Amino acid sequence: MHSLMANYTPNLLDYWPEFINSIGETLQMLFFSGIYSYIIGLFLGVLLVVTREGNILENKYIYRALDIFVNIFRSIPFVILITALIPITKFVMGTFIGVKGAIFPLIMGCIPFFIRQVDMALSTVDSGLIEAAQAMGLSPLGIIFRVYLRESIPALARSITITTVSLLGLTAMGGAVGGGGLGSFVIRYGHNRFYQDITYVSVVVILLFVTIIQFIGNIVIKKTSH
Amino acid sequence: MIQLIDVSKSFNSDSHTVHAVKEVNLTIREGEIFGVIGYSGAGKSTLVRCINLLERPTKGKVLIDGVDLTKLREKDLRAYRQKIGMIFQQFNLLGSRTVFENVAFPLKYRGRKKSEIRERVLSLLELVGLEDKANAYPSQLSGGQKQRVAIARALATEPKILLCDEATSALDPQTTKSILRLLKDVNRKLGITIVIITHEMHVIKEICNRVAVMEGGRVVELGDVVSIFSKPKAQITKEFINSTSNLSKIDELIKEKSQIVDLKAGERIWRLDFHGSETKEPIIVQLAKNFHIEPSIIFGNVEVISDTVLGSLIVLVKVDQEREQEVIKYLEEKQIKVEVIKYA
C-alpha cells in the first residue's frame, strides 16, 4: 500500500496528516453548519409556507420579509457572501478564518437554499389534507406537525440530501477564503503547487461523501414513502 | 338541526368580487339526508363549507342546534368541529399513515386513551367493512375503500352531522352505489344528519330525503325528493331530472326527424307522467275500451324514489282533435299528467 502510494501519489503521502486533518475539518464544517441550517431553515421554511396567501397562518408581512430575505441571500454568490459577512462573522464567532470562521457564512449561505427546499417539500402536501385537518378541528400548530411535517417526511429527506450535497460544495469554497477543509487543502497544494495527485484523490473523497449522503438519503426516502 | 340564515359568501380578488353564495336560507332537520345539487360553480361546495365554517360567511348566521358558529371563538369552533364530520371527493387521507392511523388521527389529536382509540377504530373499520385493511396504506386501496376509510375517520369523534362534498364524484357507478348504501346505513344506525353535495341527480334520488337545487349561488328550489322529481318547477331542476332518465331522448328524436316520430294525420306524441301509487288501473286498456284509442308506447321510464314509483311514458296516439281534450281530461282525473309533445 505504502509503495503503491509512493509511486502514484507521492505528494499526498508527504502531506498525509494534513490531508486527514482536512477531511476532518470538512466533516466538522458540514456537521455544524448543517445542523444549524436545518433547524433554522426548517423553522423559517415552515413559516414561509404557512404565512403564504390562503394558508393557515396567512400573514403578508412575515411572508414578504422571508421571501425577500431568501431571494437576496440566494442571489449572492457564496464566495462574495463570505467576504461581505466578515464583520458579522467576526462579531458572532470571534474569528473569520479557519473552520470556526467558516461555519457562520456557511449557515447564512445554506439557510436560504434550504428554506426553498422546505418550501417545495411542504408544497407536495395536498391542500385537501390541510382542509380535512381543519375540518377535524386541528389547530394551526397541530396541522404543521401532524400534517405538513409528517406527510412530507420523504420530500424533506430529499431536501436534506440535496442541501447537504450543496453544503459540501460550499465548504470547499470556504477554503478559498481562509476556511479549512479539503477545499483549502486542494487550493494550497493541488492548485498553487500543482500537485495533481492531491487534487484527484480529494475529488475521489468528495465523490465518496456525496455517494454516502445520497445513499443514506435514498434509504430514508424509501423507508418513509408509502 | 342546521339553520343557515341569510348566508352569503363572497371572495375578493384584486380586480373583482365573486359572490359564491347569495342569501341562502335553509333548515336541515335532525337525522335527515339532505342533498344540495347544482352544476359546478353553483356555490354548493362553498355553501357546505359555510356549515363548518371552513369558509366563514361574509354575511348571515350558521346555527347548529341553536349555537351560532359564527360567534364562537377560534378555539371553541375547533372543538365544535368534532361534532361535524366531513368527507371529500378526493378522500384526503394521510398517505404516510395506515388505515388504522388515519381513523385514529382525530382521536389521537384529542388525546384519547390508547385502548379507547383502538376499540373505537376497530369498531368503525368493521362498520365500513374494512377490518382486514387496518394495516394497509391508502395507496394500496381502491377509490371506494379510501372513501370508506374517510367515512370511518369522519365518524371517529361521534359527530352529529356528516358533510359529504362530492363524495362519490370520483367513483365508478358500482362503487358509488355501495358508498351511498353505507351512508344510508350510517344515517339509520347512528341517526347522523347527512348533508350531501353533488352534481349527480341519481345520488339525490338514491338516498336523499330532501334536496335544495342551487344555481348562481342561490337556492332556486327546495323540497322533498319525491315532489321535486314529480313536479319540478325551476328550469334547472328539470334539466337535472332529465339527466337521470332517457325521456329527454324524445326531443333529440324529434330534432333528428327520426322515423319513429314521423307522424301521420291525426297522430300525436304524448308524454304521460304518473305516480305509481295512484295509478293501479289499466289505463292503456281503458283508453282502448272507452275511447277506441290504441296508444303505442315509444318508450318509458320508471324511477323509484323513497319507495314511490314515478313513471313516465312516451306514447304515440291517434285521436281526433275534438276528442283529444276529452281524453286528456279523463286521464288527468286519473292523476296522470299529459303533455302533448308533438302534433302531426
Side-chain angles (χ1 to χ4, degrees):
Chain A
M1 183 69 184
H2 193 270
S3 65
L4 202 68
M5 283 182 71
N7 267 339
Y8 290 100
T9 57
N11 306 310
L12 183 67
L13 202 58
D14 293 344
Y15 295 99
W16 186 255
E18 214 173 320
F19 175 63
I20 297 297
N21 190 37
S22 299
I23 293 179
E25 285 177 349
T26 292
L27 290 178
Q28 253 179 21
M29 286 191 281
L30 195 61
F31 182 77
F32 287 109
S33 51
I35 293 282
Y36 285 110
S37 302
Y38 300 147
I39 293 172
I40 301 168
L42 189 63
F43 174 74
L44 294 178
V46 168
L47 199 60
L48 182 78
V49 171
V50 297
T51 55
R52 184 171 285 147
E53 196 181 346
N55 215 314
I56 48 174
L57 291 174
E58 180 176 336
N59 185 315
K60 231 180 3 207
Y61 303 106
I62 296 179
Y63 176 77
R64 286 295 292 158
L66 273 173
D67 196 45
I68 290 170
F69 165 79
V70 170
N71 286 342
I72 289 179
F73 276 81
R74 276 202 68 189
S75 51
I76 304 173
F78 186 61
V79 182
I80 297 175
L81 184 70
I82 298 176
T83 317
L85 283 176
I86 283 178
I88 308 175
T89 308
K90 213 172 156 188
F91 177 74
V92 176
M93 306 295 289
T95 175
F96 61 92
I97 48 171
V99 171
K100 214 174 156 196
I103 287 177
F104 182 70
L106 279 173
I107 293 172
M108 293 306 289
C110 184
I111 284 177
F113 182 81
F114 190 57
I115 289 178
R116 277 284 173 248
Q117 292 289 328
V118 171
D119 183 8
M120 279 195 287
L122 297 196
S123 300
T124 62
V125 177
D126 189 344
S127 61
L129 292 189
I130 309 303
E131 196 179 30
Q134 281 178 308
M136 285 185 260
L138 264 73
S139 64
L141 215 58
I143 292 175
I144 288 171
F145 283 104
R146 287 162 198 256
V147 183
Y148 265 130
L149 292 177
R150 171 72 196 262
E151 289 299 310
S152 61
I153 287 175
L156 283 174
R158 187 168 292 120
S159 307
I160 290 182
T161 309
I162 294 170
T163 308
T164 308
V165 170
S166 121
L167 186 59
L168 187 64
L170 295 188
T171 64
M173 233 185 291
V177 276
L182 275 174
S184 80
F185 181 67
V186 170
I187 288 170
R188 246 179 294 139
Y189 303 106
H191 186 263
N192 294 346
R193 297 194 196 166
F194 213 63
Y195 295 156
Q196 282 197 319
D197 56 329
I198 283 186
T199 308
Y200 293 131
V201 172
S202 302
V203 167
V204 171
V205 171
I206 294 283
L207 277 179
L208 201 69
F209 282 172
V210 173
T211 312
I212 291 170
I213 294 166
Q214 199 70 56
F215 180 73
I216 296 172
N218 286 345
I219 289 180
V220 175
I221 292 166
K222 209 171 160 198
K223 283 259 189 237
T224 53
S225 306
H226 300 288
Chain B
M1 191 169 71
I2 308 167
Q3 286 168 286
L4 301 180
I5 300 170
D6 212 18
V7 167
S8 296
K9 171 73 187 177
S10 41
F11 297 98
N12 291 312
S13 70
D14 295 338
S15 52
H16 59 292
T17 305
V18 181
H19 301 283
V21 173
K22 296 174 196 161
E23 291 144 23
V24 168
N25 285 289
L26 270 185
T27 301
I28 298 170
R29 297 171 196 145
E30 184 126 18
E32 76 173 332
I33 303 183
F34 188 89
V36 179
I37 191 166
Y39 293 118
S40 48
K44 53 195 192 310
S45 275
T46 308
L47 183 72
V48 77
R49 280 168 176 70
C50 283
I51 295 177
N52 61 359
L53 255 58
L54 281 182
E55 298 288 359
R56 200 167 264 280
T58 332
K59 241 177 51 200
K61 286 183 191 173
V62 179
L63 302 178
I64 294 181
D65 294 337
V67 179
D68 187 352
L69 296 195
T70 60
K71 296 254 157 55
L72 292 181
R73 286 178 308 159
E74 268 305 311
K75 199 169 164 241
D76 299 328
L77 174 64
R78 286 201 294 266
Y80 203 94
R81 281 187 179 144
Q82 285 183 85
K83 296 280 148 228
I84 312 170
M86 189 168 188
I87 59 174
F88 304 85
Q89 179 172 6
Q90 293 309 327
F91 322 122
N92 293 341
L93 298 179
L94 301 152
S96 73
R97 290 174 161 89
T98 62
V99 166
F100 184 96
E101 289 167 329
N102 263 284
V103 180
F105 183 76
L107 298 169
K108 223 169 144 189
Y109 181 70
R110 300 286 166 194
R112 305 279 181 89
K113 273 201 298 241
K114 229 174 171 175
S115 55
E116 186 194 330
I117 292 176
R118 196 177 162 71
E119 198 177 318
R120 178 103 188 104
V121 172
L122 292 179
S123 81
L124 282 163
L125 288 179
E126 198 184 317
L127 176 74
V128 300
L130 286 177
E131 310 94 306
D132 53 331
K133 296 282 184 200
N135 294 316
Y137 283 93
S139 59
Q140 299 162 315
L141 303 179
S142 69
Q145 291 171 328
K146 283 182 195 165
Q147 198 59 289
R148 284 167 186 274
V149 177
I151 291 171
R153 184 178 67 180
L155 296 178
T157 48
E158 299 174 59
K160 297 182 290 191
I161 298 165
L162 179 63
L163 307 175
C164 310
D165 182 25
E166 298 276 6
T168 58
S169 300
L171 305 173
D172 62 65
Q174 210 68 37
T175 316
T176 295
K177 253 201 172 129
S178 76
I179 292 292
L180 293 179
R181 214 174 299 133
L182 174 62
L183 289 175
K184 209 170 186 171
D185 251 26
V186 165
N187 168 258
R188 228 188 29 235
K189 278 189 202 157
L190 310 174
I192 292 177
T193 310
I194 298 183
V195 182
I196 291 185
I197 301 297
T198 184
H199 61 269
E200 297 168 306
M201 202 62 189
H202 70 90
V203 170
I204 303 285
K205 189 169 84 186
E206 203 85 30
I207 65 167
C208 291
N209 306 118
R210 290 197 306 144
V211 60
V213 183
M214 280 191 83
E215 189 180 26
R218 292 179 197 280
V219 171
V220 292
E221 194 159 357
L222 174 75
D224 68 276
V225 174
V226 178
S227 55
I228 290 270
F229 261 85
S230 54
K231 298 178 188 88
K233 291 188 194 78
Q235 182 54 33
I236 184 173
T237 315
K238 288 177 188 162
E239 281 172 34
F240 274 120
I241 289 166
N242 280 340
S243 71
T244 64
S245 77
N246 53 16
L247 291 170
S248 57
K249 288 243 170 65
I250 190 68
D251 300 326
E252 284 168 40
L253 290 176
I254 291 171
K255 223 191 227 156
E256 289 163 12
K257 299 194 166 61
S258 161
Q259 275 235 293
I260 313 169
V261 296
D262 187 18
L263 303 180
K264 294 188 201 71
E267 288 181 338
R268 287 131 179 51
I269 293 174
W270 284 354
R271 172 177 164 162
L272 309 177
D273 290 303
F274 53 94
H275 263 59
S277 52
E278 293 158 7
T279 41
K280 291 201 177 102
E281 295 171 57
I283 291 299
I284 303 270
V285 178
Q286 284 180 353
L287 282 182
K289 248 199 227 157
N290 300 347
F291 299 96
H292 304 291
I293 293 173
E294 292 169 4
S296 65
I297 297 169
I298 302 179
F299 54 77
N301 187 67
V302 177
E303 308 275 8
V304 183
I305 300 156
S306 327
D307 301 323
T308 305
V309 178
L310 291 180
S312 298
L313 284 179
I314 304 284
V315 296
L316 191 153
V317 291
K318 193 172 175 187
V319 60
D320 301 334
Q321 193 121 38
E322 312 84 71
R323 295 205 66 196
E324 188 177 15
Q325 285 313 313
E326 194 188 327
V327 178
I328 289 177
K329 211 174 147 217
Y330 169 79
L331 287 171
E332 282 180 348
E333 274 164 19
K334 303 266 180 209
Q335 302 298 329
I336 295 171
K337 206 178 102 201
V338 183
E339 186 186 345
V340 182
I341 291 181
K342 195 189 176 200
Y343 291 102

